[in-house]
Amino acid sequence: MESVTIDVRGLTKEFHEKSRGTIRAVDAIDFTCSAGEIFGLLGANGAGKTTTLRMLSTILEPTAGTALMQGFDIREDPENVRRILGFYSSTTALYPRLTARETIGFFGRINGYSPDKIVSRVEYLIQRFGIVDYADVRVDKLSQGMKQKVSLARTVAHDPPILIFDEPTVGLDVLNALEMQEVIREFREEGKTIIFSTHIMSEAERLCNRIAIIHQGKLLACDTLEALRRETGKRYLEDIFVHYAGHKEDVVWA
């Protein structure tokens, strides 16, 4: 792995509710990620995964702490952070009236991809993700699996060096989920820095170079799977998670 490209420092997010008062959804977490690494952020429903990723992608402003993304501070320089970042979620919306080709081109342009190269970039992504037969079909006419491919192509339209995947296989059938995993591996081989959030243990075991366990907003462990096995004496990731996060009956899975 190469040098650190993501450096998270004391990242904290608090929300205020009338009935519950102040809720610390993310509690002063620290971690780093490097180029050519898939960094797994593992947690149950409500653990703070999505809040963390939304802060890193500048959608939410931290209450305290910060993160550097290739040296750009998420609080002080959010525009440059967005330029080098691709964010994918199973809930990412697409514009229904645009075609697949128009969607990819639009997101490439608004994220600053070179205007004289955008056409060739779009054609490359259409080929790479198997969208050829549907490239000029409106998004609202596409199947769920094809929408997922368009959304993925949209995420990387500007060829960002940092990618964030927030539970990307939720709602996908087995074959599409496996295809998604293979694409993420390919991105790692290209040298991209990847944060991969999931509550599916088998995905984390297959994909991640390192795994961070987050529970109730706190980062409880962060290491390779083998190191976590040695530390806990457990083999299966679900048992490792429970070792850090508490009893199985206390863990609410998404």
mmCIF file with all atom_site columns, all heavy atoms in Angstrom, residues 10-16 22-29 48 51-52 54-55 59-65 75 216-217:
data_model
loop_
_atom_site.group_PDB
_atom_site.id
_atom_site.type_symbol
_atom_site.label_atom_id
_atom_site.label_alt_id
_atom_site.label_comp_id
_atom_site.label_asym_id
_atom_site.label_entity_id
_atom_site.label_seq_id
_atom_site.pdbx_PDB_ins_code
_atom_site.Cartn_x
_atom_site.Cartn_y
_atom_site.Cartn_z
_atom_site.occupancy
_atom_site.B_iso_or_equiv
_atom_site.pdbx_formal_charge
_atom_site.auth_seq_id
_atom_site.auth_comp_id
_atom_site.auth_asym_id
_atom_site.auth_atom_id
_atom_site.pdbx_PDB_model_num
ATOM 1   N N   . GLY A 1 10  ? -10.268 12.683 15.192 1.00 0.00 ? 10  GLY A N   1
ATOM 2   C CA  . GLY A 1 10  ? -11.235 13.099 16.207 1.00 0.00 ? 10  GLY A CA  1
ATOM 3   C C   . GLY A 1 10  ? -12.609 13.432 15.660 1.00 0.00 ? 10  GLY A C   1
ATOM 4   O O   . GLY A 1 10  ? -13.330 14.265 16.229 1.00 0.00 ? 10  GLY A O   1
ATOM 5   N N   . LEU A 1 11  ? -13.008 12.776 14.603 1.00 0.00 ? 11  LEU A N   1
ATOM 6   C CA  . LEU A 1 11  ? -14.261 13.108 13.924 1.00 0.00 ? 11  LEU A CA  1
ATOM 7   C C   . LEU A 1 11  ? -15.458 12.826 14.825 1.00 0.00 ? 11  LEU A C   1
ATOM 8   O O   . LEU A 1 11  ? -15.619 11.722 15.346 1.00 0.00 ? 11  LEU A O   1
ATOM 9   C CB  . LEU A 1 11  ? -14.372 12.306 12.627 1.00 0.00 ? 11  LEU A CB  1
ATOM 10  C CG  . LEU A 1 11  ? -15.369 12.819 11.588 1.00 0.00 ? 11  LEU A CG  1
ATOM 11  C CD1 . LEU A 1 11  ? -15.001 14.212 11.111 1.00 0.00 ? 11  LEU A CD1 1
ATOM 12  C CD2 . LEU A 1 11  ? -15.428 11.849 10.413 1.00 0.00 ? 11  LEU A CD2 1
ATOM 13  N N   . THR A 1 12  ? -16.300 13.846 14.992 1.00 0.00 ? 12  THR A N   1
ATOM 14  C CA  . THR A 1 12  ? -17.425 13.777 15.937 1.00 0.00 ? 12  THR A CA  1
ATOM 15  C C   . THR A 1 12  ? -18.658 14.422 15.318 1.00 0.00 ? 12  THR A C   1
ATOM 16  O O   . THR A 1 12  ? -18.562 15.449 14.644 1.00 0.00 ? 12  THR A O   1
ATOM 17  C CB  . THR A 1 12  ? -17.076 14.525 17.238 1.00 0.00 ? 12  THR A CB  1
ATOM 18  O OG1 . THR A 1 12  ? -15.904 13.934 17.819 1.00 0.00 ? 12  THR A OG1 1
ATOM 19  C CG2 . THR A 1 12  ? -18.222 14.467 18.240 1.00 0.00 ? 12  THR A CG2 1
ATOM 20  N N   . LYS A 1 13  ? -19.813 13.794 15.563 1.00 0.00 ? 13  LYS A N   1
ATOM 21  C CA  . LYS A 1 13  ? -21.073 14.402 15.133 1.00 0.00 ? 13  LYS A CA  1
ATOM 22  C C   . LYS A 1 13  ? -22.114 14.224 16.218 1.00 0.00 ? 13  LYS A C   1
ATOM 23  O O   . LYS A 1 13  ? -22.394 13.110 16.660 1.00 0.00 ? 13  LYS A O   1
ATOM 24  C CB  . LYS A 1 13  ? -21.572 13.772 13.831 1.00 0.00 ? 13  LYS A CB  1
ATOM 25  C CG  . LYS A 1 13  ? -22.840 14.433 13.291 1.00 0.00 ? 13  LYS A CG  1
ATOM 26  C CD  . LYS A 1 13  ? -22.622 15.902 12.946 1.00 0.00 ? 13  LYS A CD  1
ATOM 27  C CE  . LYS A 1 13  ? -23.877 16.546 12.370 1.00 0.00 ? 13  LYS A CE  1
ATOM 28  N NZ  . LYS A 1 13  ? -23.670 17.979 12.070 1.00 0.00 ? 13  LYS A NZ  1
ATOM 29  N N   . GLU A 1 14  ? -22.708 15.348 16.621 1.00 0.00 ? 14  GLU A N   1
ATOM 30  C CA  . GLU A 1 14  ? -23.791 15.331 17.608 1.00 0.00 ? 14  GLU A CA  1
ATOM 31  C C   . GLU A 1 14  ? -25.076 15.840 16.966 1.00 0.00 ? 14  GLU A C   1
ATOM 32  O O   . GLU A 1 14  ? -25.058 16.749 16.139 1.00 0.00 ? 14  GLU A O   1
ATOM 33  C CB  . GLU A 1 14  ? -23.434 16.209 18.806 1.00 0.00 ? 14  GLU A CB  1
ATOM 34  C CG  . GLU A 1 14  ? -22.279 15.686 19.629 1.00 0.00 ? 14  GLU A CG  1
ATOM 35  C CD  . GLU A 1 14  ? -21.949 16.585 20.806 1.00 0.00 ? 14  GLU A CD  1
ATOM 36  O OE1 . GLU A 1 14  ? -22.455 17.746 20.823 1.00 0.00 ? 14  GLU A OE1 1
ATOM 37  O OE2 . GLU A 1 14  ? -21.202 16.148 21.706 1.00 0.00 ? 14  GLU A OE2 1
ATOM 38  N N   . PHE A 1 15  ? -26.184 15.239 17.368 1.00 0.00 ? 15  PHE A N   1
ATOM 39  C CA  . PHE A 1 15  ? -27.514 15.681 16.965 1.00 0.00 ? 15  PHE A CA  1
ATOM 40  C C   . PHE A 1 15  ? -28.302 16.012 18.228 1.00 0.00 ? 15  PHE A C   1
ATOM 41  O O   . PHE A 1 15  ? -28.070 15.439 19.293 1.00 0.00 ? 15  PHE A O   1
ATOM 42  C CB  . PHE A 1 15  ? -28.239 14.592 16.172 1.00 0.00 ? 15  PHE A CB  1
ATOM 43  C CG  . PHE A 1 15  ? -27.578 14.229 14.871 1.00 0.00 ? 15  PHE A CG  1
ATOM 44  C CD1 . PHE A 1 15  ? -26.760 13.117 14.774 1.00 0.00 ? 15  PHE A CD1 1
ATOM 45  C CD2 . PHE A 1 15  ? -27.773 15.006 13.738 1.00 0.00 ? 15  PHE A CD2 1
ATOM 46  C CE1 . PHE A 1 15  ? -26.148 12.783 13.578 1.00 0.00 ? 15  PHE A CE1 1
ATOM 47  C CE2 . PHE A 1 15  ? -27.174 14.685 12.532 1.00 0.00 ? 15  PHE A CE2 1
ATOM 48  C CZ  . PHE A 1 15  ? -26.368 13.570 12.449 1.00 0.00 ? 15  PHE A CZ  1
ATOM 49  N N   . HIS A 1 16  ? -29.254 16.911 18.076 1.00 0.00 ? 16  HIS A N   1
ATOM 50  C CA  . HIS A 1 16  ? -30.073 17.302 19.218 1.00 0.00 ? 16  HIS A CA  1
ATOM 51  C C   . HIS A 1 16  ? -31.538 16.938 18.955 1.00 0.00 ? 16  HIS A C   1
ATOM 52  O O   . HIS A 1 16  ? -32.101 17.291 17.918 1.00 0.00 ? 16  HIS A O   1
ATOM 53  C CB  . HIS A 1 16  ? -29.950 18.806 19.484 1.00 0.00 ? 16  HIS A CB  1
ATOM 54  C CG  . HIS A 1 16  ? -28.558 19.238 19.802 1.00 0.00 ? 16  HIS A CG  1
ATOM 55  N ND1 . HIS A 1 16  ? -28.008 19.138 21.067 1.00 0.00 ? 16  HIS A ND1 1
ATOM 56  C CD2 . HIS A 1 16  ? -27.579 19.749 19.014 1.00 0.00 ? 16  HIS A CD2 1
ATOM 57  C CE1 . HIS A 1 16  ? -26.770 19.582 21.033 1.00 0.00 ? 16  HIS A CE1 1
ATOM 58  N NE2 . HIS A 1 16  ? -26.489 19.954 19.805 1.00 0.00 ? 16  HIS A NE2 1
ATOM 59  N N   . THR A 1 22  ? -28.999 15.614 23.591 1.00 0.00 ? 22  THR A N   1
ATOM 60  C CA  . THR A 1 22  ? -27.861 15.530 22.680 1.00 0.00 ? 22  THR A CA  1
ATOM 61  C C   . THR A 1 22  ? -27.456 14.080 22.462 1.00 0.00 ? 22  THR A C   1
ATOM 62  O O   . THR A 1 22  ? -27.236 13.340 23.410 1.00 0.00 ? 22  THR A O   1
ATOM 63  C CB  . THR A 1 22  ? -26.661 16.322 23.227 1.00 0.00 ? 22  THR A CB  1
ATOM 64  O OG1 . THR A 1 22  ? -27.033 17.695 23.362 1.00 0.00 ? 22  THR A OG1 1
ATOM 65  C CG2 . THR A 1 22  ? -25.471 16.209 22.288 1.00 0.00 ? 22  THR A CG2 1
ATOM 66  N N   . ILE A 1 23  ? -27.363 13.700 21.191 1.00 0.00 ? 23  ILE A N   1
ATOM 67  C CA  . ILE A 1 23  ? -26.964 12.345 20.823 1.00 0.00 ? 23  ILE A CA  1
ATOM 68  C C   . ILE A 1 23  ? -25.647 12.425 20.077 1.00 0.00 ? 23  ILE A C   1
ATOM 69  O O   . ILE A 1 23  ? -25.530 13.136 19.071 1.00 0.00 ? 23  ILE A O   1
ATOM 70  C CB  . ILE A 1 23  ? -28.026 11.678 19.931 1.00 0.00 ? 23  ILE A CB  1
ATOM 71  C CG1 . ILE A 1 23  ? -29.354 11.599 20.677 1.00 0.00 ? 23  ILE A CG1 1
ATOM 72  C CG2 . ILE A 1 23  ? -27.562 10.295 19.483 1.00 0.00 ? 23  ILE A CG2 1
ATOM 73  C CD1 . ILE A 1 23  ? -30.512 11.254 19.789 1.00 0.00 ? 23  ILE A CD1 1
ATOM 74  N N   . ARG A 1 24  ? -24.660 11.723 20.555 1.00 0.00 ? 24  ARG A N   1
ATOM 75  C CA  . ARG A 1 24  ? -23.362 11.698 19.874 1.00 0.00 ? 24  ARG A CA  1
ATOM 76  C C   . ARG A 1 24  ? -23.342 10.489 18.950 1.00 0.00 ? 24  ARG A C   1
ATOM 77  O O   . ARG A 1 24  ? -23.046 9.366  19.351 1.00 0.00 ? 24  ARG A O   1
ATOM 78  C CB  . ARG A 1 24  ? -22.221 11.661 20.886 1.00 0.00 ? 24  ARG A CB  1
ATOM 79  C CG  . ARG A 1 24  ? -20.844 11.681 20.244 1.00 0.00 ? 24  ARG A CG  1
ATOM 80  C CD  . ARG A 1 24  ? -19.748 12.034 21.214 1.00 0.00 ? 24  ARG A CD  1
ATOM 81  N NE  . ARG A 1 24  ? -19.754 13.460 21.546 1.00 0.00 ? 24  ARG A NE  1
ATOM 82  C CZ  . ARG A 1 24  ? -18.737 14.093 22.115 1.00 0.00 ? 24  ARG A CZ  1
ATOM 83  N NH1 . ARG A 1 24  ? -17.627 13.434 22.417 1.00 0.00 ? 24  ARG A NH1 1
ATOM 84  N NH2 . ARG A 1 24  ? -18.816 15.373 22.394 1.00 0.00 ? 24  ARG A NH2 1
ATOM 85  N N   . ALA A 1 25  ? -23.639 10.720 17.689 1.00 0.00 ? 25  ALA A N   1
ATOM 86  C CA  . ALA A 1 25  ? -23.732 9.642  16.708 1.00 0.00 ? 25  ALA A CA  1
ATOM 87  C C   . ALA A 1 25  ? -22.373 9.104  16.309 1.00 0.00 ? 25  ALA A C   1
ATOM 88  O O   . ALA A 1 25  ? -22.222 7.914  16.004 1.00 0.00 ? 25  ALA A O   1
ATOM 89  C CB  . ALA A 1 25  ? -24.486 10.126 15.466 1.00 0.00 ? 25  ALA A CB  1
ATOM 90  N N   . VAL A 1 26  ? -21.380 9.987  16.293 1.00 0.00 ? 26  VAL A N   1
ATOM 91  C CA  . VAL A 1 26  ? -19.998 9.598  16.014 1.00 0.00 ? 26  VAL A CA  1
ATOM 92  C C   . VAL A 1 26  ? -19.131 10.264 17.069 1.00 0.00 ? 26  VAL A C   1
ATOM 93  O O   . VAL A 1 26  ? -19.229 11.477 17.290 1.00 0.00 ? 26  VAL A O   1
ATOM 94  C CB  . VAL A 1 26  ? -19.561 10.023 14.593 1.00 0.00 ? 26  VAL A CB  1
ATOM 95  C CG1 . VAL A 1 26  ? -18.102 9.666  14.349 1.00 0.00 ? 26  VAL A CG1 1
ATOM 96  C CG2 . VAL A 1 26  ? -20.450 9.376  13.539 1.00 0.00 ? 26  VAL A CG2 1
ATOM 97  N N   . ASP A 1 27  ? -18.282 9.468  17.720 1.00 0.00 ? 27  ASP A N   1
ATOM 98  C CA  . ASP A 1 27  ? -17.633 9.927  18.941 1.00 0.00 ? 27  ASP A CA  1
ATOM 99  C C   . ASP A 1 27  ? -16.111 9.930  18.817 1.00 0.00 ? 27  ASP A C   1
ATOM 100 O O   . ASP A 1 27  ? -15.441 8.956  19.151 1.00 0.00 ? 27  ASP A O   1
ATOM 101 C CB  . ASP A 1 27  ? -18.070 9.028  20.105 1.00 0.00 ? 27  ASP A CB  1
ATOM 102 C CG  . ASP A 1 27  ? -17.673 9.590  21.470 1.00 0.00 ? 27  ASP A CG  1
ATOM 103 O OD1 . ASP A 1 27  ? -17.033 10.650 21.507 1.00 0.00 ? 27  ASP A OD1 1
ATOM 104 O OD2 . ASP A 1 27  ? -18.005 8.951  22.480 1.00 0.00 ? 27  ASP A OD2 1
ATOM 105 N N   . ALA A 1 28  ? -15.561 11.010 18.276 1.00 0.00 ? 28  ALA A N   1
ATOM 106 C CA  . ALA A 1 28  ? -14.111 11.257 18.261 1.00 0.00 ? 28  ALA A CA  1
ATOM 107 C C   . ALA A 1 28  ? -13.320 10.088 17.690 1.00 0.00 ? 28  ALA A C   1
ATOM 108 O O   . ALA A 1 28  ? -12.423 9.546  18.330 1.00 0.00 ? 28  ALA A O   1
ATOM 109 C CB  . ALA A 1 28  ? -13.627 11.595 19.675 1.00 0.00 ? 28  ALA A CB  1
ATOM 110 N N   . ILE A 1 29  ? -13.645 9.702  16.465 1.00 0.00 ? 29  ILE A N   1
ATOM 111 C CA  . ILE A 1 29  ? -12.974 8.558  15.867 1.00 0.00 ? 29  ILE A CA  1
ATOM 112 C C   . ILE A 1 29  ? -11.744 9.001  15.068 1.00 0.00 ? 29  ILE A C   1
ATOM 113 O O   . ILE A 1 29  ? -11.688 10.098 14.521 1.00 0.00 ? 29  ILE A O   1
ATOM 114 C CB  . ILE A 1 29  ? -13.920 7.720  14.977 1.00 0.00 ? 29  ILE A CB  1
ATOM 115 C CG1 . ILE A 1 29  ? -14.407 8.522  13.770 1.00 0.00 ? 29  ILE A CG1 1
ATOM 116 C CG2 . ILE A 1 29  ? -15.101 7.206  15.803 1.00 0.00 ? 29  ILE A CG2 1
ATOM 117 C CD1 . ILE A 1 29  ? -15.211 7.678  12.790 1.00 0.00 ? 29  ILE A CD1 1
ATOM 118 N N   . GLY A 1 48  ? -23.315 4.388  13.388 1.00 0.00 ? 48  GLY A N   1
ATOM 119 C CA  . GLY A 1 48  ? -22.598 5.612  13.054 1.00 0.00 ? 48  GLY A CA  1
ATOM 120 C C   . GLY A 1 48  ? -21.863 5.536  11.731 1.00 0.00 ? 48  GLY A C   1
ATOM 121 O O   . GLY A 1 48  ? -21.153 6.481  11.354 1.00 0.00 ? 48  GLY A O   1
ATOM 122 N N   . THR A 1 51  ? -23.321 8.153  9.053  1.00 0.00 ? 51  THR A N   1
ATOM 123 C CA  . THR A 1 51  ? -23.005 9.507  9.509  1.00 0.00 ? 51  THR A CA  1
ATOM 124 C C   . THR A 1 51  ? -21.538 9.828  9.276  1.00 0.00 ? 51  THR A C   1
ATOM 125 O O   . THR A 1 51  ? -21.179 10.920 8.809  1.00 0.00 ? 51  THR A O   1
ATOM 126 C CB  . THR A 1 51  ? -23.352 9.668  11.003 1.00 0.00 ? 51  THR A CB  1
ATOM 127 O OG1 . THR A 1 51  ? -24.744 9.409  11.195 1.00 0.00 ? 51  THR A OG1 1
ATOM 128 C CG2 . THR A 1 51  ? -23.025 11.075 11.491 1.00 0.00 ? 51  THR A CG2 1
ATOM 129 N N   . THR A 1 52  ? -20.661 8.867  9.564  1.00 0.00 ? 52  THR A N   1
ATOM 130 C CA  . THR A 1 52  ? -19.232 9.060  9.321  1.00 0.00 ? 52  THR A CA  1
ATOM 131 C C   . THR A 1 52  ? -18.960 9.315  7.847  1.00 0.00 ? 52  THR A C   1
ATOM 132 O O   . THR A 1 52  ? -18.238 10.251 7.481  1.00 0.00 ? 52  THR A O   1
ATOM 133 C CB  . THR A 1 52  ? -18.447 7.816  9.780  1.00 0.00 ? 52  THR A CB  1
ATOM 134 O OG1 . THR A 1 52  ? -18.613 7.655  11.192 1.00 0.00 ? 52  THR A OG1 1
ATOM 135 C CG2 . THR A 1 52  ? -16.969 7.947  9.457  1.00 0.00 ? 52  THR A CG2 1
ATOM 136 N N   . ARG A 1 54  ? -20.986 10.372 5.526  1.00 0.00 ? 54  ARG A N   1
ATOM 137 C CA  . ARG A 1 54  ? -21.555 11.641 5.067  1.00 0.00 ? 54  ARG A CA  1
ATOM 138 C C   . ARG A 1 54  ? -20.708 12.827 5.498  1.00 0.00 ? 54  ARG A C   1
ATOM 139 O O   . ARG A 1 54  ? -20.646 13.830 4.789  1.00 0.00 ? 54  ARG A O   1
ATOM 140 C CB  . ARG A 1 54  ? -22.993 11.766 5.565  1.00 0.00 ? 54  ARG A CB  1
ATOM 141 C CG  . ARG A 1 54  ? -23.949 10.813 4.841  1.00 0.00 ? 54  ARG A CG  1
ATOM 142 C CD  . ARG A 1 54  ? -25.364 10.965 5.299  1.00 0.00 ? 54  ARG A CD  1
ATOM 143 N NE  . ARG A 1 54  ? -26.254 10.120 4.491  1.00 0.00 ? 54  ARG A NE  1
ATOM 144 C CZ  . ARG A 1 54  ? -27.561 10.005 4.691  1.00 0.00 ? 54  ARG A CZ  1
ATOM 145 N NH1 . ARG A 1 54  ? -28.148 10.679 5.677  1.00 0.00 ? 54  ARG A NH1 1
ATOM 146 N NH2 . ARG A 1 54  ? -28.282 9.221  3.912  1.00 0.00 ? 54  ARG A NH2 1
ATOM 147 N N   . MET A 1 55  ? -20.054 12.721 6.632  1.00 0.00 ? 55  MET A N   1
ATOM 148 C CA  . MET A 1 55  ? -19.117 13.781 7.009  1.00 0.00 ? 55  MET A CA  1
ATOM 149 C C   . MET A 1 55  ? -17.900 13.768 6.094  1.00 0.00 ? 55  MET A C   1
ATOM 150 O O   . MET A 1 55  ? -17.447 14.822 5.630  1.00 0.00 ? 55  MET A O   1
ATOM 151 C CB  . MET A 1 55  ? -18.702 13.626 8.477  1.00 0.00 ? 55  MET A CB  1
ATOM 152 C CG  . MET A 1 55  ? -19.784 14.023 9.463  1.00 0.00 ? 55  MET A CG  1
ATOM 153 S SD  . MET A 1 55  ? -19.178 14.111 11.178 1.00 0.00 ? 55  MET A SD  1
ATOM 154 C CE  . MET A 1 55  ? -19.042 12.358 11.571 1.00 0.00 ? 55  MET A CE  1
ATOM 155 N N   . ILE A 1 59  ? -21.272 15.999 3.065  1.00 0.00 ? 59  ILE A N   1
ATOM 156 C CA  . ILE A 1 59  ? -22.727 16.166 3.117  1.00 0.00 ? 59  ILE A CA  1
ATOM 157 C C   . ILE A 1 59  ? -23.143 16.700 4.484  1.00 0.00 ? 59  ILE A C   1
ATOM 158 O O   . ILE A 1 59  ? -24.044 17.542 4.593  1.00 0.00 ? 59  ILE A O   1
ATOM 159 C CB  . ILE A 1 59  ? -23.433 14.826 2.819  1.00 0.00 ? 59  ILE A CB  1
ATOM 160 C CG1 . ILE A 1 59  ? -23.121 14.381 1.390  1.00 0.00 ? 59  ILE A CG1 1
ATOM 161 C CG2 . ILE A 1 59  ? -24.940 14.943 3.019  1.00 0.00 ? 59  ILE A CG2 1
ATOM 162 C CD1 . ILE A 1 59  ? -23.599 12.974 1.079  1.00 0.00 ? 59  ILE A CD1 1
ATOM 163 N N   . LEU A 1 60  ? -22.493 16.215 5.532  1.00 0.00 ? 60  LEU A N   1
ATOM 164 C CA  . LEU A 1 60  ? -22.722 16.691 6.897  1.00 0.00 ? 60  LEU A CA  1
ATOM 165 C C   . LEU A 1 60  ? -21.464 17.379 7.404  1.00 0.00 ? 60  LEU A C   1
ATOM 166 O O   . LEU A 1 60  ? -20.346 16.941 7.106  1.00 0.00 ? 60  LEU A O   1
ATOM 167 C CB  . LEU A 1 60  ? -23.055 15.521 7.831  1.00 0.00 ? 60  LEU A CB  1
ATOM 168 C CG  . LEU A 1 60  ? -24.408 14.829 7.697  1.00 0.00 ? 60  LEU A CG  1
ATOM 169 C CD1 . LEU A 1 60  ? -24.474 13.650 8.668  1.00 0.00 ? 60  LEU A CD1 1
ATOM 170 C CD2 . LEU A 1 60  ? -25.541 15.802 7.975  1.00 0.00 ? 60  LEU A CD2 1
ATOM 171 N N   . GLU A 1 61  ? -21.641 18.427 8.188  1.00 0.00 ? 61  GLU A N   1
ATOM 172 C CA  . GLU A 1 61  ? -20.503 19.098 8.801  1.00 0.00 ? 61  GLU A CA  1
ATOM 173 C C   . GLU A 1 61  ? -20.246 18.501 10.186 1.00 0.00 ? 61  GLU A C   1
ATOM 174 O O   . GLU A 1 61  ? -21.183 18.336 10.982 1.00 0.00 ? 61  GLU A O   1
ATOM 175 C CB  . GLU A 1 61  ? -20.759 20.591 8.938  1.00 0.00 ? 61  GLU A CB  1
ATOM 176 C CG  . GLU A 1 61  ? -19.558 21.355 9.482  1.00 0.00 ? 61  GLU A CG  1
ATOM 177 C CD  . GLU A 1 61  ? -19.772 22.854 9.514  1.00 0.00 ? 61  GLU A CD  1
ATOM 178 O OE1 . GLU A 1 61  ? -20.818 23.309 9.002  1.00 0.00 ? 61  GLU A OE1 1
ATOM 179 O OE2 . GLU A 1 61  ? -18.906 23.555 10.051 1.00 0.00 ? 61  GLU A OE2 1
ATOM 180 N N   . PRO A 1 62  ? -19.000 18.154 10.489 1.00 0.00 ? 62  PRO A N   1
ATOM 181 C CA  . PRO A 1 62  ? -18.702 17.596 11.819 1.00 0.00 ? 62  PRO A CA  1
ATOM 182 C C   . PRO A 1 62  ? -18.980 18.586 12.938 1.00 0.00 ? 62  PRO A C   1
ATOM 183 O O   . PRO A 1 62  ? -18.875 19.805 12.753 1.00 0.00 ? 62  PRO A O   1
ATOM 184 C CB  . PRO A 1 62  ? -17.197 17.281 11.736 1.00 0.00 ? 62  PRO A CB  1
ATOM 185 C CG  . PRO A 1 62  ? -16.864 17.274 10.287 1.00 0.00 ? 62  PRO A CG  1
ATOM 186 C CD  . PRO A 1 62  ? -17.813 18.237 9.638  1.00 0.00 ? 62  PRO A CD  1
ATOM 187 N N   . THR A 1 63  ? -19.318 18.066 14.104 1.00 0.00 ? 63  THR A N   1
ATOM 188 C CA  . THR A 1 63  ? -19.420 18.885 15.303 1.00 0.00 ? 63  THR A CA  1
ATOM 189 C C   . THR A 1 63  ? -18.030 19.226 15.822 1.00 0.00 ? 63  THR A C   1
ATOM 190 O O   . THR A 1 63  ? -17.782 20.325 16.323 1.00 0.00 ? 63  THR A O   1
ATOM 191 C CB  . THR A 1 63  ? -20.215 18.135 16.388 1.00 0.00 ? 63  THR A CB  1
ATOM 192 O OG1 . THR A 1 63  ? -21.490 17.772 15.869 1.00 0.00 ? 63  THR A OG1 1
ATOM 193 C CG2 . THR A 1 63  ? -20.390 18.989 17.631 1.00 0.00 ? 63  THR A CG2 1
ATOM 194 N N   . ALA A 1 64  ? -17.131 18.268 15.694 1.00 0.00 ? 64  ALA A N   1
ATOM 195 C CA  . ALA A 1 64  ? -15.739 18.462 16.108 1.00 0.00 ? 64  ALA A CA  1
ATOM 196 C C   . ALA A 1 64  ? -14.866 17.532 15.284 1.00 0.00 ? 64  ALA A C   1
ATOM 197 O O   . ALA A 1 64  ? -15.344 16.588 14.657 1.00 0.00 ? 64  ALA A O   1
ATOM 198 C CB  . ALA A 1 64  ? -15.571 18.181 17.596 1.00 0.00 ? 64  ALA A CB  1
ATOM 199 N N   . GLY A 1 65  ? -13.559 17.800 15.314 1.00 0.00 ? 65  GLY A N   1
ATOM 200 C CA  . GLY A 1 65  ? -12.630 16.984 14.550 1.00 0.00 ? 65  GLY A CA  1
ATOM 201 C C   . GLY A 1 65  ? -12.717 17.287 13.065 1.00 0.00 ? 65  GLY A C   1
ATOM 202 O O   . GLY A 1 65  ? -13.496 18.131 12.617 1.00 0.00 ? 65  GLY A O   1
ATOM 203 N N   . ARG A 1 75  ? -13.580 20.296 6.219  1.00 0.00 ? 75  ARG A N   1
ATOM 204 C CA  . ARG A 1 75  ? -14.266 21.464 6.756  1.00 0.00 ? 75  ARG A CA  1
ATOM 205 C C   . ARG A 1 75  ? -13.841 22.743 6.043  1.00 0.00 ? 75  ARG A C   1
ATOM 206 O O   . ARG A 1 75  ? -14.660 23.628 5.806  1.00 0.00 ? 75  ARG A O   1
ATOM 207 C CB  . ARG A 1 75  ? -13.992 21.593 8.259  1.00 0.00 ? 75  ARG A CB  1
ATOM 208 C CG  . ARG A 1 75  ? -14.337 20.344 9.054  1.00 0.00 ? 75  ARG A CG  1
ATOM 209 C CD  . ARG A 1 75  ? -14.187 20.540 10.538 1.00 0.00 ? 75  ARG A CD  1
ATOM 210 N NE  . ARG A 1 75  ? -15.314 21.292 11.091 1.00 0.00 ? 75  ARG A NE  1
ATOM 211 C CZ  . ARG A 1 75  ? -15.600 21.355 12.386 1.00 0.00 ? 75  ARG A CZ  1
ATOM 212 N NH1 . ARG A 1 75  ? -14.842 20.721 13.262 1.00 0.00 ? 75  ARG A NH1 1
ATOM 213 N NH2 . ARG A 1 75  ? -16.631 22.038 12.820 1.00 0.00 ? 75  ARG A NH2 1
ATOM 214 N N   . GLN A 1 216 ? -22.136 2.217  18.502 1.00 0.00 ? 216 GLN A N   1
ATOM 215 C CA  . GLN A 1 216 ? -22.624 3.357  19.280 1.00 0.00 ? 216 GLN A CA  1
ATOM 216 C C   . GLN A 1 216 ? -21.711 4.572  19.112 1.00 0.00 ? 216 GLN A C   1
ATOM 217 O O   . GLN A 1 216 ? -21.427 5.300  20.068 1.00 0.00 ? 216 GLN A O   1
ATOM 218 C CB  . GLN A 1 216 ? -22.779 2.962  20.753 1.00 0.00 ? 216 GLN A CB  1
ATOM 219 C CG  . GLN A 1 216 ? -23.845 1.884  20.962 1.00 0.00 ? 216 GLN A CG  1
ATOM 220 C CD  . GLN A 1 216 ? -24.016 1.488  22.406 1.00 0.00 ? 216 GLN A CD  1
ATOM 221 O OE1 . GLN A 1 216 ? -23.217 1.845  23.273 1.00 0.00 ? 216 GLN A OE1 1
ATOM 222 N NE2 . GLN A 1 216 ? -25.076 0.741  22.689 1.00 0.00 ? 216 GLN A NE2 1
ATOM 223 N N   . GLY A 1 217 ? -21.254 4.767  17.875 1.00 0.00 ? 217 GLY A N   1
ATOM 224 C CA  . GLY A 1 217 ? -20.465 5.941  17.540 1.00 0.00 ? 217 GLY A CA  1
ATOM 225 C C   . GLY A 1 217 ? -18.991 5.858  17.846 1.00 0.00 ? 217 GLY A C   1
ATOM 226 O O   . GLY A 1 217 ? -18.226 6.747  17.467 1.00 0.00 ? 217 GLY A O   1
#
